[in-house]
Amino acid sequence: MSETVPQPTTGYTPGGTVRLTVAQATVEFLAHQYSERDGERQKLFAGCFGIFGHGNVAGIGQALLQMEEVALDAGEEPGLPYVLARNEQSMVHTSVAYAKQKDRLQTWACTASVGPGSTNMLTSAALATINRIPVLLLASGTFSTRRSSPVLQELEAPYAGDVTVNDAFRPLSAFFDRVTRPEQLPSALMSAMRVLTDPAATGAVTLALPQDVQAEAFDWPVEMFEDRTWHVAVPRAEVSRITAATELIKAAKRPMIVAGGGVHYSVAEEALASFTEATGIPVGETQAGKGSLLHGHPRLMGAVGSTGTTAANAMAAQADLVIGIGTRWSDFTTASRTAFQNDGVRFVNINVAQIDAVKQAGLTVLADAKEALTDLQAALAGWSVEDAYLTEQAEAWAAWDAAVEASYHPSAEVTDALAPGLLTQGNVLGMVNELTDPRDVVLCAAGSMPGDLHKQWRVRERKAYHVEYGYSCMGYELPASLGIRLADESRDVFAMLGDGGYLMMPTELVTAVQERIKVIIVLVQNHGFHSIGSLSEELGSQRFGTKYRFRGDAGRLDGEKLPIDLAENARSLGATVLEVSSPDEFAKAVREAKEMPADGPVVIHVQTDPLVYAPDSESWWDVPVSQTSELESTKDAYQRYLEHQAKQRQFVAPAG
């Protein structure tokens, strides 16, 4: 006996209706969404990444197939192209990187099956939300009707009948909704678009779609599927806030700017350059803000904070006013609240998000970075810092730039001490920096390389530096490289990652092969966790558990190196692999990789010595040390910790 599908009674008549499943309606709606800022309009969704299982194959999967078949049969491109991923976490990383490269004006949707398929996206959901990057997650759920419960991969919580694994997305999402009835879909989709296009509130947006609801049919108003444009606001500051900020700047003797990711997202690089040229105020950059000024600009002091330059950190230590532009003020930026040591230091925070604008007890200027800088420059016409401060900036930067040059081109004394076939990490970064085009993108996320890149990389073109350091997620680099290349095929992408990061998530090499996406992976093999090994040693834990070694006779992980051939692993996944063991071979490989046709991934495999470090930031990062220990190394580390901790400051005094 067949089931009778109830007909909806919406009472709607003006433009008619079209009968589609919830999944078909979702896909059709997404294909017609656009974003617009300053009069420039673009599709909001470039496509949909996915991995199908029993929770979405007959819902979103069928809808994407139907859209593709109809479009291709008509000789057209699908409105929402589908790309098969290999890991659900990875496909969200790819989407995040794409959205970041597109200044948050475009992104991807991601569909996953029930249970582990959807919860595999949790890590990358947190990454997107922490970094304020828009991405749409279509998480599948078990039956809304519960008529077959408990089904495969259902949580079946004993304390609540309506809880599913998808509830784990709630604290990790900028917006969350669960669609349990077709009638709920329009409001859920509208709310999702609102958050995705709101620069102050954006992040991961999760729509939980039960598998039975995805396949349920409904009569939808045809207007729901018309092209819809979402305006991305460019807010200007209140006049009173600009006036207050201007007064603070004019009263300062040693002002400093900390440029964050908001400079890039508002396309404020030229406005920042003009402002600093007019005022002489030096600029330190966060990870997300690196490249706000290009290498060689006289006001650029480079990275600030725990992984900062000595130049920027010297300016920070004595600054009496710090102007934060589009920054979250993370602990790496503030060197765990030890970077700014002037007794009278005050802060001005220019940001579109209230949550960030109030930090450091700063004067809040709620505004788009470009608009605020333009207004401030006009208000400060004729004012600039003293000449002695300009001279000090130039001298500090020259000293740091010389240290970078020595790292990029190590002396014979350093290279002669290396084991055969090993390079220094600084030498590797330097050659990539110098041999690539200014528009090529360097990419990293975790390990020691983000810090080394932050300090040393010379950014020569807008959007050419991409380091994810809000969540610093191991495994981000390789899938993210696909997103950057998809966002701009005119740029080569160099993903810098160590063996630890590569082993976390190498499988998107297969996606790059399948889709013929050219990305260049610089795979640095140092047989362990370089960054955490160094941190472990600093904290008195003696690099314990950070090396890829056999367990020795005494039961410790201090035996021979593991016989892992990462180059052969990459070959087995379909990548072209270039193995190098000298600086000349590495330089040749970089040139060769750039000249290769754009039809798949290239991996450059190089081994480095993890005990040759980059120039020191002369800064600190707060990671607690055991207060009591039987190990002398830990006791010594705790004493050093107390010395640094004594310099921490809690900024609570009003800025005005």
Side-chain angles (χ1 to χ4, degrees), residues 306 335-336 338 538 618-623 641 644-645 648:
S306 298
S336 298
T338 64
E538 181 182 334
E618 299 179 10
S619 191
W620 184 59
W621 182 38
D622 188 351
V623 179
Y641 179 78
H644 284 293
Q645 192 180 49
Q648 284 184 304

Side-chain angles (χ1 to χ4, degrees), residues 65-78:
L65 167 65
Q66 181 170 294
M67 173 175 281
E68 182 175 290
E69 290 291 308
V70 171
L72 295 179
D73 287 346
E76 301 171 354
E77 289 292 321

